Amino acid sequence: MAATDELATLFLEFSRKKLLNQYWPRLRECVAPLTPEQLWWRPNPASNSIGNLLLHLNGNVRQWLVASFNKDEDKRDRPAEFAAKEGAIAAELLAKLSATLDAAAAVLDRLTVAELLAPYEIQGYHVRGLDAVYQVVEHFGLHYGQIAYITKSLTGRDLGFHKELNKSGRAH
């Protein structure tokens, strides 16, 4: 295997691991038990609710990974993601995001070096495929962290995401 192919394989494996095996399960665990009031709660008018962040993550992943690499029409309505004040319950928003992440996983499973190096225009930005994948993983991690923080603030519960660490803070 050429070094470029090996690097692409490692990058895509790590991207899948972070997005699909770490961030997504933890996000689901945060959101699933929330009431509609908790899901759509905003601390102030300038902030977003967990519901808004879920709509936003769905739009971002679908636009940047699914539509761009599948050469689908970009139908994203980004302003609507933030304008919503109420609506779907947690299970509905999680199901929608799950379907989008399944489509994204299929894209990540088949991407080639040529696609990672190819130019794309996404949301008005001129990027390479590599940039698009990295943007999605980083962006998802950022908003997953916000969702975890809001969940902990609203519920007062320890989410237990680092159970694998011993008392000294190292993985068993």
Side-chain angles (χ1 to χ4, degrees), residues 72-136:
D72 294 338
E73 180 184 353
D74 178 9
K75 298 178 183 178
R76 183 178 185 192
D77 183 358
R78 190 174 184 278
E81 298 162 12
F82 298 108
K85 303 273 193 252
E86 61 184 6
I89 61 171
E92 294 167 338
L93 291 173
L94 290 172
K96 186 176 179 179
L97 185 53
S98 181
T100 295
L101 288 169
D102 287 346
V107 168
L108 292 172
D109 286 344
R110 65 138 179 92
L111 283 178
T112 65
V113 171
E115 288 172 302
L116 289 173
L117 297 175
Y120 295 85
E121 184 178 334
I122 306 170
Q123 199 177 330
Y125 296 102
H126 297 276
V127 299
R128 293 171 308 213
L130 182 76
D131 304 324
V133 173
Y134 189 81
Q135 188 279 343
V136 167

Side-chain angles (χ1 to χ4, degrees), residues 24-49:
W24 173 228
R26 289 177 179 180
L27 184 145
R28 273 194 329 257
E29 192 174 320
C30 285
V31 173
L34 297 179
T35 66
E37 292 78 22
Q38 290 170 322
L39 186 70
W40 293 101
W41 173 82
R42 291 177 183 227
N44 57 62
S47 297
N48 293 306
S49 68

Side-chain angles (χ1 to χ4, degrees), residues 1-13 16 109 111-113 116:
M1 177 184 300
T4 304
D5 292 338
E6 185 176 358
L7 185 59
T9 298
L10 291 171
F11 172 74
L12 291 169
E13 284 175 359
R16 282 191 296 274
D109 286 344
L111 283 178
T112 65
V113 171
L116 289 173

